[in-house]
Amino acid sequence: ITMNTIQKIMNILMNPNAELINVISIPCTLIEIIIYVNMCLVLLNIKTDRKHKYLCILTVSIFSCINRFFITSPFNVILNILIIIFMYLIFFKVKLLEATVGIGIPFILTALFEMISSQIYTLIFNKPYAEFASYPLYSIIFLLIVYTCLFIMLQFFKHFKVNITLLTNLNKKDSLSILNTVILGFITIFLQLYITAFYNNILPHAIILLSIACLIAYFFVSIFNILKTKQLEIANRDIKNLQLYNNTLKIMYDNIRAFKHDFHNIMNGIGRICNS
């Protein structure tokens, strides 16, 4: 009986089943929203209580599930982004630009990991992922890979305390450097998406592997350079503060020496008067 049950389950998972994929999307949506909200709180360095956090997750999840079933793609994705931004404004009391960044970065990371995962599927099965999208088992594996990567990035941001406040008060040179890195990243992701959409099924496996490796390497090198840039900026700021402190101490020391000299002269004058 157990083997028959397992076989039936595998048959269901290994055959196209749009209804089952819609059912699977409900818990997957909840997982995705949980990761998005937590990543937003870390990136924007927001301090909030559990009540507002859980209410935000629950509200966004409900709206996202409703949009998935009643609104066609890609309009449901656009509406979900707008709803998430609106909920961030309500529950976390952030500015519009901050809320946009809070959803923009996780969304870009999701697109990046989905692109890499689809290339891995193409590499393994020698077919585009679009041919497997209607199969529940392949969809579950695909989403697990994407959400695992997002969770790892969330832990990475927490561990290294990466947040938007790290990029404030940078000098012009460092700001331009980071801006160029971000622009180059968007160009790279756009080219990879174009290649994935039109040429992924005809590219050699070696090219796909090299593309994945270069994309991952660029991503982590960019984050490392941004963190190092901020550390250097903080170090330079500390050095300037120490220099100002030393200059202040020098001025105070010179004033004390001058006062000591004047006080010594006054005391000598008073001593001569007393002697006379």
Side-chain angles (χ1 to χ4, degrees), residues 145-160:
I145 294 173
V146 173
Y147 294 154
T148 301
C149 293
L150 285 173
F151 181 76
I152 292 173
M153 288 307 305
L154 174 60
Q155 299 305 314
F156 177 85
F157 291 152
K158 285 184 178 179
H159 180 73
F160 290 98

Side-chain angles (χ1 to χ4, degrees), residues 4-265:
N4 290 334
T5 304
I6 295 175
Q7 187 176 1
K8 290 180 181 178
I9 294 174
M10 292 304 298
N11 288 334
I12 294 173
L13 295 177
M14 293 294 292
N15 290 306
N17 193 329
E19 292 79 11
L20 181 57
I21 289 180
N22 288 331
V23 173
I24 294 172
S25 68
I26 296 176
C28 290
T29 300
L30 179 61
I31 295 173
E32 182 175 319
I33 298 303
I34 291 173
I35 296 175
Y36 274 31
V37 171
N38 281 281
M39 193 172 291
C40 172
L41 294 176
V42 173
L43 290 174
L44 298 180
N45 196 23
I46 298 174
K47 307 298 182 182
T48 186
D49 54 19
R50 293 184 178 181
K51 178 182 177 181
H52 288 84
K53 177 182 174 180
Y54 293 152
L55 281 175
C56 180
I57 292 174
L58 180 61
T59 307
V60 173
S61 299
I62 292 174
F63 277 110
S64 297
C65 291
I66 294 173
N67 293 337
R68 179 179 179 86
F69 287 103
F70 295 101
I71 301 177
T72 58
S73 180
F75 301 105
N76 57 352
V77 177
I78 298 174
L79 183 59
N80 285 340
I81 293 175
L82 295 176
I83 289 173
I84 293 174
I85 292 175
F86 183 68
M87 293 303 159
Y88 286 173
L89 295 175
I90 292 177
F91 290 105
F92 302 146
K93 308 300 180 182
V94 296
K95 297 179 180 178
L96 180 60
L97 179 60
E98 293 176 337
T100 305
V101 173
I103 181 59
I105 294 178
F107 185 78
I108 292 173
L109 288 175
T110 303
L112 177 65
F113 294 137
E114 287 181 351
M115 179 179 60
I116 294 175
S117 300
S118 64
Q119 289 184 339
I120 293 175
Y121 263 79
T122 302
L123 186 64
I124 295 175
F125 300 105
N126 203 24
K127 290 181 180 180
Y129 171 73
E131 298 183 11
F132 300 97
S134 59
Y135 293 78
L137 180 61
Y138 294 107
S139 297
I140 292 173
I141 296 174
F142 180 82
L143 292 172
L144 283 176
I145 294 173
V146 173
Y147 294 154
T148 301
C149 293
L150 285 173
F151 181 76
I152 292 173
M153 288 307 305
L154 174 60
Q155 299 305 314
F156 177 85
F157 291 152
K158 285 184 178 179
H159 180 73
F160 290 98
K161 297 181 180 179
V162 179
N163 52 68
I164 306 302
T165 57
L166 286 176
L167 305 181
T168 58
N169 300 323
L170 290 176
N171 57 47
K172 186 176 181 181
K173 181 180 178 181
D174 292 334
S175 299
L176 289 176
S177 176
I178 293 176
L179 180 61
N180 291 333
T181 302
V182 173
I183 292 175
L184 183 59
F186 277 113
I187 295 174
T188 304
I189 293 174
F190 173 78
L191 292 176
Q192 290 294 329
L193 287 172
Y194 183 85
I195 293 172
T196 301
F198 295 100
Y199 300 104
N200 211 27
N201 57 337
I202 61 176
L203 288 174
H205 290 174
I207 299 298
I208 296 176
L209 278 174
L210 181 62
S211 174
I212 295 173
C214 291
L215 203 59
I216 295 174
Y218 170 80
F219 182 76
F220 283 101
V221 169
S222 299
I223 292 180
F224 177 79
N225 288 335
I226 290 174
L227 292 176
K228 285 296 181 182
T229 299
K230 185 58 183 180
Q231 289 176 357
L232 290 175
E233 177 67 20
I234 293 174
N236 290 331
R237 193 180 307 154
D238 291 339
I239 291 173
K240 291 181 179 178
N241 290 334
L242 287 174
Q243 289 176 345
L244 292 174
Y245 180 71
N246 289 334
N247 290 336
T248 303
L249 289 177
K250 184 179 179 181
I251 293 173
M252 292 175 62
Y253 178 73
D254 291 339
N255 290 334
I256 291 173
R257 288 187 60 188
F259 175 77
K260 179 182 177 182
H261 182 268
D262 294 338
F263 182 77
H264 183 71
N265 291 335

